[in-house]
Amino acid sequence: YPSDNIRNFSIIAHVDHGKSTLADRLLELTGTIRKGHGQPQYLDKLQVERERGITVKAQTATMFHRHKFLGSDTDFLLNLIDTPGHVDFSYEVSRSLAACQGALLVVDAAQGVQAQTVANFYLAFESNLAIIPVINKIDQPTADPDRVKAQLKSMFDLNPSDVLLTSAKTGLGLEQVLPAAIERIPPPPGKSTSPLRMLLLDSYYDEYKGVICHVAIVDGALHKGDKICSAATGQSYEVSDVGIMHPELVATGILLTGQVGYIVSGMRSTKEARVGDTLHHTRTVIQPLPGFKPAKHMVFSGLYPADGSDFEALNHAIERLTCNDASVSVTKESSTALGLGFRNMEHTSFPLFLQCHIFLSTQMEGMVQNPAALPSNPKNRLIACWEPTVLATIIIPSEYVGSVISLCAERRGEQLEYSFIDSQRAFMKYRMPLREIVVDFYNELKSITSGYASFDYEDSEYQASDLLKLDILLNGQPVDAMATIVHKSKAPRVGRELVEKLKKFIDRQMFEIIIQAAIGSKVIARETLSAMRKNVLAKCYGGDVTRKRKLLEKQKEGKKRMKRVGSVDIPQEAFHELLKVS
Ligand code: GTP
C-alpha cells in the first residue's frame, strides 16, 4: 500500500459515548473481526478494562476497505487507533494522536458535549488533525442531534453539514463513517525515500515473544532482520519480527511509510521501549521526531509495608505491576525519624503529599516532596512557597452552577471562564491547586451534581501559596510520617480533624497520650487519651486457660501490626484514616 492509500485515525470521545462500540462495528464492517464472534468490544483488550468497563490503554488495529475514490475502486489500508476517554488517561490519548492525521470526534446524541469532548477536541485540533464529528446513539429516545450539532458549532466551529449521525448499537449511519475517513483525512505525509524514522507508540510484554512495540513508520521502510537504534538511548537492536495488528499480530516481514504495526526486537523490558522515542536504522543520521508530553500523574498512591522486612517483597510486587506501563512512575522514599517500627524502612510520604517548590532562604531553593523535609516554623528561613496548579474544565447542567461554584471556591479555585454551551449547560474553567483536586474532588463534584458534572484537567504552572507544615505530636514528639502540608486557611480544620481521628483510632495504653497538631511551636488542636490497659481477658468468665492463652496470642499478633512512635503504639488504621483528611 503506497501511503496515498493509507489513513491513520483515532476515535476520541467522552467516556461512555460509544467509542469502543463504534470501533468494533468498524472492525466488523471491514471483516477484521467476525460479527458477533469473539469478545464484545474487541479493542478493550486488557482485563482491567473489561472488569471496569473503561478503555485504559490504547490499542490499534489495521483494517482493509475498498472505496470508490477519484472515480475508481481503490483498496485502502486503515489504521484505527483506539484511545481511552477517561479523565485519567489523556496522556494515552495524546500519544495515540501523534500517529494520526485524523480523528472521529464521537458525541452522545443525548448527553451532548462533555468535559472530555472539549479536552479531546483541543488535543486533536492542536495536533492539526482532520476532525470528523460523529453524533452517536441517535437511536436513544432522548437523542437530540440538532441540539448537539448546535453545541459543536458554538464550541468548536464545526459545520453542522459535516456531522455524521450514527447508532453503533443499531448500525444506523455506520456506512458513512469509513468513506468520510478516507475522503476527509489526508494520507500520512512521510517520505518513502528518506531514511527510516519510526515513532514508538506503545509497548507491552508478551510471555512468548518478549517486548512487543507498537510503532508508526513516519519515513522510510522497515524489514525483518534490520538493525535499528533508539534515538533516546543509542541502544541497538535487531528486528526479529515485524507485522500488523489485524487485530491479532500478523507477521508481514515489512512495514512501509505511513503504516502502523508491531515489532519485536529483543528488548528485555518495556522500560527500554520509551514511548515517544524515534527508532532508526543503525548508521543513519536522522532528526528525532518530536516526542510526546511526559505522562501526567493523575492517580497518586502512597504504599508502605506493615512490617519493614517485607520491603523487598513489596518493591518486587510493585515493579512487576508497573513494568508494563510506562505512564506509571514509582518513587521510593525513606524516613528514619519514625522510631523503632519504621526505622530503615522505606515508605512514601504521608499523608498524600504533592511536590511543591519552596524557597528556604535566598541560598536554598528546591522541590520538596516529603513534608518532613520542611522546617516546622514558617518564620524560620521559609521565604516563599509555590504549589502546582491545574486548569480544570467543568461542564454541568445550569441548575448546579451555584453549588459547583461554592465547591470550587472551597477548594481555592480561581474562576477563569464561565459561559453557557446552550440554554441548559454551563461551561466553567478554573485554575485550582493540584492538591485540592487529588483528594476526592471528582467524587464530590459528581455527588453535588447528581452525577451530571463532567470534568477534565491539565497541568498548569506553579503559583505562590501560603502553605504551612502541620506537625502531629504524640506526647510532645513530632511524628514525621504524619506531618502534612496545608494551606493556611485550612490549618485549623485539618489540625482538629487529624487529632480527633487519631484519638479514635489509637487504643488507650498504660499511660496518658497527648495528641497535638501544631504549626511551628503553636499548638492548634489537642486531644488527650487517658491511660488504661485494654484487658482482652475481660470477656472471659470461666477459667479456660487455653482460651485465655489464645486471646493473649491474638493481642500479641495485633501488636505486630502497630507502629511504635516513641513509646506510643499506633495501629495501622490510624494511618489509613488520616489519609482521608485533607
Ligand atoms: P470507554 O471505553 O469507557 O471510554 O467508553 P466508550 O466511549 O468506548 O463507550 P462504549 O463503546 O463502551 O459504550 C458505552 C455504552 O453505550 C455501552 O453500554 C454501549 O453498549 C452503549 N452504546 C454504544 N453505542 C450506542 C448506540 O449507538 N446506542 C445506544 N443506545 N447505546 C450505545
Side-chain angles (χ1 to χ4, degrees):
Y1 284 80
S3 35
D4 276 352
N5 294 16
I6 298 176
R7 299 290 182 271
N8 294 329
F9 62 98
S10 280
I11 304 181
I12 51 179
H14 185 77
V15 63
D16 265 358
H17 282 194
K19 178 184 64 236
S20 303
T21 313
L22 180 65
D24 274 1
R25 291 297 96 81
L26 297 180
L27 292 175
E28 281 171 12
L29 208 94
T30 51
T32 314
I33 56 172
R34 275 192 294 159
K35 205 170 172 174
H37 282 256
Q39 300 282 0
Q41 301 198 347
Y42 186 83
L43 291 176
D44 277 1
K45 237 184 193 172
L46 293 178
Q47 198 185 352
V48 52
E49 294 176 15
R50 243 178 264 125
E51 279 166 7
R52 294 166 46 195
I54 54 170
T55 315
V56 181
K57 222 160 150 91
Q59 302 283 342
T60 298
T62 297
M63 306 178 282
F64 299 94
H65 190 63
R66 180 163 286 187
H67 175 66
K68 207 174 194 72
F69 191 66
L70 305 175
S72 58
D73 279 344
T74 314
D75 289 321
F76 284 88
L77 185 154
L78 310 172
N79 289 306
L80 169 59
I81 301 174
D82 194 26
T83 56
H86 193 264
V87 61
D88 292 347
F89 306 107
S90 57
Y91 165 66
E92 300 268 354
V93 177
S94 75
R95 72 158 113 148
S96 314
L97 295 187
C100 296
Q101 286 72 47
L104 307 179
L105 178 69
V106 174
V107 186
D108 183 306
Q111 289 193 14
V113 170
Q114 297 287 318
Q116 282 125 49
T117 318
V118 180
N120 287 330
F121 170 82
Y122 282 108
L123 276 176
F125 186 74
E126 281 159 17
S127 311
N128 284 322
L129 303 193
I131 295 168
I132 302 176
V134 179
I135 298 180
N136 186 38
K137 304 200 190 184
I138 54 166
D139 59 288
Q140 296 177 107
T142 48
D144 189 351
D146 287 339
R147 193 180 125 230
V148 182
K149 275 186 191 173
Q151 292 178 352
L152 290 170
K153 173 75 184 153
S154 83
M155 294 286 288
F156 312 129
D157 202 23
L158 291 170
N159 208 329
S161 60
D162 290 339
V163 177
L164 308 181
L165 301 182
T166 65
S167 164
K169 189 175 171 186
T170 66
L172 206 67
L174 288 183
E175 71 292 341
Q176 326 153 57
V177 178
L178 293 178
I182 290 168
E183 303 277 348
R184 298 194 213 165
I185 298 171
K191 288 197 178 65
S192 57
T193 50
S194 297
L196 171 73
R197 287 198 299 175
M198 62 181 164
L199 189 60
L200 206 161
L201 295 176
D202 201 357
S203 69
Y204 63 97
Y205 190 82
D206 178 275
E207 226 174 287
Y208 302 105
K209 290 181 185 275
V211 175
I212 295 179
C213 299
H214 287 181
V215 294
I217 310 289
V218 175
D219 294 313
L222 177 78
H223 296 80
K224 182 177 169 178
D226 282 0
K227 293 205 171 50
I228 56 164
C229 182
S230 148
T233 65
Q235 187 81 31
S236 300
Y237 305 94
E238 186 172 323
V239 179
S240 60
D241 187 10
V242 47
I244 57 171
M245 286 78 81
H246 186 55
E248 304 300 344
L249 303 187
V250 177
T252 56
I254 186 171
L255 282 177
L256 299 174
T257 308
Q259 282 196 312
V260 174
Y262 76 91
I263 62 165
V264 179
S265 62
M267 289 184 182
R268 283 180 306 279
S269 116
T270 49
K271 291 221 163 36
E272 279 178 63
R274 301 191 180 198
V275 168
D277 192 2
T278 305
L279 299 167
H280 58 96
H281 282 133
T282 47
R283 294 193 296 275
T284 59
V285 182
I286 51 108
Q287 179 73 29
L289 298 158
F292 308 134
K293 279 188 198 165
K296 58 176 165 173
H297 297 128
M298 292 290 195
V299 182
F300 301 83
S301 177
L303 302 170
Y304 56 90
D307 185 334
S309 61
D310 288 339
F311 176 73
E312 267 314 312
L314 177 69
N315 193 26
H316 183 68
I318 290 175
E319 261 179 23
R320 284 201 55 180
L321 196 68
T322 57
C323 73
N324 218 353
D325 198 333
S327 57
V328 176
S329 80
V330 180
T331 317
K332 292 178 208 160
E333 288 178 13
S334 60
S335 166
T336 47
L338 263 175
L340 279 174
F342 270 23
R343 188 164 291 155
N344 296 329
M345 194 177 107
E346 304 210 28
H347 74 111
T348 50
S349 51
F350 182 90
L352 180 98
F353 180 70
L354 297 163
Q355 225 173 35
C356 60
H357 189 145
I358 241 150
F359 274 112
L360 292 178
S361 71
T362 38
Q363 285 86 41
M364 281 181 69
E365 173 192 352
M367 304 300 279
V368 175
Q369 235 171 355
N370 190 331
L374 278 179
S376 288
N377 188 341
K379 289 193 193 87
N380 181 8
R381 300 189 308 154
L382 191 77
I383 293 178
C385 197
W386 282 260
E387 65 181 329
T389 66
V390 298
L391 290 176
T393 303
I394 300 170
I395 295 182
I396 40 166
S398 335
E399 64 261 39
Y400 299 110
V401 162
S403 37
V404 170
I405 288 178
S406 311
L407 172 68
C408 293
E410 197 254 314
R411 299 291 184 127
R412 300 192 280 131
E414 174 200 349
Q415 194 178 72
L416 304 176
E417 246 181 280
Y418 173 26
S419 59
F420 285 86
I421 298 178
D422 58 26
S423 60
Q424 296 153 38
R425 288 198 169 261
F427 168 89
M428 293 194 258
K429 217 162 179 138
Y430 271 88
R431 179 186 304 288
M432 295 181 109
L434 176 60
R435 69 179 56 243
E436 296 290 343
I437 63 158
V438 290
V439 184
D440 232 24
F441 176 76
Y442 188 53
N443 283 345
E444 228 175 286
L445 179 68
K446 278 278 183 195
S447 108
I448 61 168
T449 59
S450 317
Y452 284 117
S454 73
F455 170 68
D456 194 61
Y457 72 92
E458 58 186 289
D459 286 340
S460 188
E461 64 225 33
Y462 278 69
Q463 75 180 9
S465 181
D466 265 337
L467 298 180
L468 299 172
K469 179 183 179 191
L470 180 71
D471 279 314
I472 295 290
L473 295 88
L474 295 179
N475 284 345
Q477 269 197 40
V479 184
D480 252 17
M482 291 184 181
T484 185
I485 300 287
V486 286
H487 188 257
K488 198 174 171 184
S489 64
K490 299 194 167 181
R493 176 180 63 75
V494 173
R496 174 108 306 273
E497 283 182 27
L498 287 176
V499 297
E500 279 169 10
K501 279 253 160 101
L502 274 174
K503 183 178 180 187
K504 213 161 114 199
F505 283 91
I506 297 179
D507 282 331
R508 290 180 180 191
Q509 290 165 33
M510 300 281 277
F511 43 83
E512 184 183 75
I513 302 168
I514 295 164
I515 307 166
Q516 292 168 311
I519 301 281
S521 54
K522 190 171 162 222
V523 172
I524 57 168
R526 174 195 162 120
E527 288 286 341
T528 307
L529 197 63
S530 53
M532 193 185 87
R533 180 160 183 246
K534 194 172 175 184
N535 185 358
V536 293
L537 303 181
K539 286 189 202 121
C540 288
Y541 303 115
D544 182 346
V545 178
T546 50
R547 171 121 193 268
K548 279 186 184 165
R549 193 170 299 134
K550 260 192 202 153
L551 282 167
L552 286 168
E553 285 294 317
K554 233 171 131 187
Q555 188 186 40
K556 229 160 96 193
E557 269 293 300
K559 280 212 167 129
K560 270 199 209 153
R561 277 185 267 119
M562 303 267 185
K563 302 285 155 255
R564 177 165 284 221
V565 174
S567 51
V568 183
D569 287 328
I570 309 171
Q572 245 178 289
E573 301 104 278
F575 285 88
H576 296 157
E577 282 302 311
L578 293 194
L579 274 174
K580 296 178 189 161
V581 180
S582 65

